[in-house]
Amino acid sequence: MTTHRRDIPALPDLVFAAAVEPQRLADWLPPPLDVVGLAEDILILRDDGRLTQVRLAADFDHLRLTWESLADPTRRGSLTVSPLGVGNSVAELEVEPEDEEFANRLLDALAKEVEATFTAG
């Protein structure tokens, strides 16, 4: 599995909050993904017109979010956020099956949401 990285000019806790908080998650996931609902640890997504359920697990101590499709356990991934100098973070994303374009779109969308939410003046 390839790790995709994106430097984000914000504190790690803020980046992770943008990634896991349900309302923010709904705001930054790029098309064709659309959040339909959240029940406990199950995220319901519309993916290009099809509904899919994804189990989420957030580790707030290690700033790590993992997910797995309930219908297809081979579709899974993880996002880890780490400090990168003063006031900066690095987001590391792994997705299966490997899809570099999708991974880069996710990281770009997350970075834009963090910038719009936490660094807009």
Side-chain angles (χ1 to χ4, degrees):
M1 190 177 330
T2 303
T3 300
H4 304 273
R5 297 172 49 100
R6 173 73 192 254
D7 296 351
I8 301 176
L11 295 171
D13 290 348
L14 298 179
V15 175
F16 192 70
V20 300
E21 290 179 7
Q23 182 54 47
R24 288 199 178 106
L25 180 66
D27 290 342
W28 72 263
L29 280 177
L33 297 176
D34 184 32
V35 175
V36 175
L38 181 67
E40 301 279 326
D41 62 345
I42 305 298
L43 179 67
I44 304 166
L45 294 172
R46 184 173 293 115
D47 182 0
D48 218 10
R50 295 177 325 213
L51 290 180
T52 186
Q53 295 180 348
V54 178
R55 182 178 311 282
L56 300 176
D59 180 343
F60 290 90
D61 292 332
H62 297 102
L63 301 180
R64 182 173 171 85
L65 175 67
T66 57
W67 63 90
E68 178 179 278
S69 168
L70 295 182
D72 181 0
T74 65
R75 298 186 64 81
R76 60 182 177 237
S78 67
L79 173 75
T80 305
V81 181
S82 305
L84 181 69
V86 177
N88 293 297
S89 304
V90 61
E92 298 180 65
L93 178 69
E94 296 178 338
V95 293
E96 284 187 38
E98 182 61 38
D99 184 339
E100 184 172 354
E101 180 185 344
F102 178 67
N104 288 331
R105 284 188 324 133
L106 282 176
L107 288 173
D108 288 346
L110 175 60
K112 287 177 185 171
E113 176 65 19
V114 169
E115 181 178 355
T117 304
F118 297 113
T119 62

